[in-house]
Amino acid sequence: MATTALNQAIATLQSRGCFSNSGSHRDSLNASVRLISKGFKVEVGLLRGGSYCSRKRSFSLVQASSSQTTVFAAISSPSKSTGTSKDSPKKSNEAALILIRHGESLWNEKNLFTGCVDVPLTKKGVEEAIEAGKRISNIPVDMIYTSALIRAQMTAMLAMTEHRRKKVPIVMHNESEQAKAWSQIFSEETKKQCIPVVTAWQLNERMYGELQGLNKQETADRYGKEQVHEWRRSYDTPPPNGESLEMCAKRAVAYFQEQIEPQLLAGKNVMIAAHGNSLRSIIMYLDKLTSQEVISLELSTGIPMLYISKEGKFIRRGSPPAPSEAGVYAYTKNLAQYRQKLDEMVH
């Protein structure tokens, strides 16, 4: 029965000239065939608009099985009316990318070199993270990436408490099979109200080597201001047994390209909560900055930056000086629509 139905569908297409090799140009035509037999259904759709039927059509199998609800479909993929045989390029998805440098840490407050030492936020840092959350409360967030350090993770979590969508950020534990199994969520409805948080050491602050834990002023007094300035602000000179910005950029940008950029290209809205040097590295990549330009780039703690990923390009949309909603970001149409939906949910 299935074979008979399929043969009938093919015969119909042949009667329309779709399998002709003549290459003759035909008038615009719409044709649809719907054949149903017990346990088998065939749907064939043909749309032609002034192109060569023999070379401008492709058919694909969407579903096939012997179940009662199965659909076997031959779907026509029309080409452009220009007569070119090349497929039209796919449109890239638009997505938001939010970058946030963590709020003030306890060692920031004490003027100590922190680097990869895992230090939490101060009370001011907590307030900065909450304030950052208010500024992005109308921007969609589907995934969150943070460094492996607590100050970046605290910033991400606190910021999301202010988001109007009220989804819950959940840290993913994939470090072992047991950790992964024990952190499973078994409610599909609950999953829909969660945002996965991925922690990655590659997004850590650059490692300051033997400067970690030292007072910045005392270090300048000991080694000289010029030497300390070179360690802190040059692109390729590392502190003793530490990382240079160049070394930090190598790992941070590679991670962004391999793990985060594919999410953005797929249309996922991403927030990254990280550190001054790892974020400067990523911004260097996004804005195509030179090594000389990036060393003068300063990022304030707790101030979010918004980029739009579209058609393989990154467009900076703003770094707001205040949380007043009117002038915070130059909204795209998609972001404006998202905010309107949030407003409708409230009302």
Side-chain angles (χ1 to χ4, degrees):
M1 199 60 159
T3 303
T4 302
L6 179 58
N7 288 336
Q8 289 174 345
I10 293 173
T12 301
L13 293 175
Q14 287 176 328
S15 71
R16 298 294 188 185
C18 265
F19 298 131
S20 170
N21 292 320
S22 64
S24 60
H25 197 278
R26 302 178 186 276
D27 296 332
S28 296
L29 172 65
N30 291 325
S32 179
V33 181
R34 181 182 179 88
L35 302 173
I36 303 175
S37 62
K38 185 175 181 181
F40 197 87
K41 178 166 67 176
V42 178
E43 290 188 358
V44 177
L46 172 64
L47 174 65
R48 187 162 74 245
S51 59
Y52 292 90
C53 190
S54 63
R55 298 188 182 185
K56 309 301 182 184
R57 292 291 172 269
S58 62
F59 297 89
S60 60
L61 175 65
V62 175
Q63 285 182 299
S65 90
S66 59
S67 66
Q68 296 291 331
T69 58
T70 297
V71 176
F72 174 90
I75 302 177
S76 174
S77 301
S79 64
K80 295 180 180 179
S81 59
T82 57
T84 177
S85 61
K86 293 181 180 180
D87 294 333
S88 58
K90 294 181 180 179
K91 293 184 178 179
S92 298
N93 291 316
E94 178 182 301
L97 171 63
I98 301 166
L99 307 180
I100 304 179
R101 183 186 176 191
H102 65 80
E104 182 189 67
S105 75
L106 286 167
W107 277 16
N108 290 146
E109 182 183 49
K110 294 179 181 295
N111 200 33
L112 304 180
F113 285 102
T114 310
C116 288
V117 180
D118 209 358
V119 180
L121 300 179
T122 61
K123 182 179 180 181
K124 179 184 176 182
V126 169
E127 293 170 351
E128 287 177 329
I130 292 172
E131 194 71 8
K134 291 177 181 177
R135 300 182 190 197
I136 61 167
S137 62
N138 292 306
I139 309 295
V141 178
D142 300 312
M143 293 193 70
I144 299 172
Y145 290 85
T146 79
S147 74
L149 303 174
I150 191 64
R151 57 190 184 274
Q153 295 174 23
M154 288 177 70
T155 298
M157 297 300 190
L158 289 166
M160 290 309 297
T161 64
E162 299 298 317
H163 201 280
R164 294 177 66 196
R165 189 64 181 82
K166 299 303 180 185
K167 287 191 174 183
V168 179
I170 302 291
V171 176
M172 308 304 292
H173 286 285
N174 298 322
E175 59 269 23
S176 68
E177 287 301 319
Q178 180 172 313
K180 189 174 181 179
W182 283 18
S183 59
Q184 286 185 86
I185 300 171
F186 292 94
S187 166
E188 292 301 320
E189 189 60 34
T190 299
K191 286 181 182 179
K192 293 176 184 178
Q193 301 305 317
C194 297
I195 299 175
V197 179
V198 179
T199 62
W201 70 265
Q202 292 90 336
L203 298 176
N204 282 8
E205 179 57 284
R206 74 176 172 119
M207 204 273 280
Y208 268 100
E210 294 176 16
L211 301 187
Q212 291 184 170
L214 301 185
N215 181 278
K216 293 177 182 178
Q217 184 57 54
E218 291 175 0
T219 305
D221 294 340
R222 179 180 176 182
Y223 293 100
K225 291 182 179 180
E226 290 185 4
Q227 179 62 73
V228 173
H229 185 269
E230 185 178 9
W231 286 333
R232 296 186 64 191
R233 289 293 177 247
S234 68
Y235 183 67
D236 55 5
T237 303
N241 294 316
E243 282 185 309
S244 64
L245 177 56
E246 182 181 32
M247 295 162 70
C248 177
K250 186 175 181 180
R251 58 171 164 86
V253 173
Y255 184 83
F256 180 88
Q257 291 173 322
E258 295 168 8
Q259 302 296 327
I260 301 176
E261 197 165 4
Q263 300 293 340
L264 293 165
L265 292 174
K268 296 287 187 182
N269 302 291
V270 174
M271 182 174 85
I272 304 175
H275 309 265
N277 284 295
S278 55
L279 289 177
R280 287 165 72 202
S281 301
I282 291 171
I283 291 170
M284 181 183 182
Y285 170 71
L286 299 178
D287 291 349
K288 296 179 169 53
L289 303 179
T290 66
S291 59
Q292 289 302 308
E293 289 171 328
V294 74
I295 60 176
S296 61
L297 179 64
E298 294 290 345
L299 300 179
S300 300
T301 55
I303 302 294
M305 296 181 67
L306 174 65
Y307 285 81
I308 299 299
S309 169
K310 189 174 184 180
E311 298 177 354
K313 297 180 180 179
F314 293 96
I315 307 162
R316 189 192 291 202
R317 301 300 288 188
S319 181
S324 56
E325 189 59 37
V328 167
Y329 296 113
Y331 274 79
T332 66
K333 183 178 179 181
N334 286 356
L335 293 184
Q337 289 174 342
Y338 179 80
R339 182 184 174 177
Q340 184 178 359
K341 289 180 180 179
L342 291 177
D343 291 339
E344 290 170 355
M345 288 173 61
V346 173
H347 298 97

